[in-house]
Amino acid sequence: MNLRIKLFAIARQRLGRDEVDVKLPDSATIADLRRALVEQFPALADVLPHIRVAVNSSYANDATVIPAGAEVALIPPVSGG
C-alpha cells in the first residue's frame, strides 16, 4: 500500500516538506512504518524514537496495523507550559 505521511515540526524541518510518500506491504504496522521511514529518510533516524504516530487522528502504538487509505501523521514531542 502507498501511504502519504503528514509531517510536523522537526520532521517537517528535517525533510523540508509537509508530506512524504511511503510504500508498505498490506497489514504493515507502525513499527514497519518507522523502519521504512529511517531507510528512506535517514535524517529522521535520531528523532523517530521520540515521535508519536497518529492514524486516522488517534495515537497508535508500534503494534498497530495501518489500514489502507489511512491518514497518518508524525507528531513530535511537545514542550512548553
Side-chain angles (χ1 to χ4, degrees), residues 4-22 30-53 72-77:
R4 177 155 288 160
I5 312 300
K6 294 182 179 188
L7 306 174
F8 297 94
I10 186 107
R12 179 187 293 173
Q13 291 169 352
R14 293 265 177 105
L15 299 184
R17 51 189 145 166
D18 297 335
E19 299 176 331
V20 294
D21 293 320
V22 177
I30 297 298
D32 298 325
L33 172 63
R34 288 181 189 276
R35 282 189 288 277
L37 285 167
V38 168
E39 195 173 290
Q40 287 184 321
F41 308 102
L44 296 178
D46 65 326
V47 297
L48 270 176
H50 309 288
I51 286 179
R52 301 282 311 266
V53 179
V72 180
L74 301 184
I75 314 291

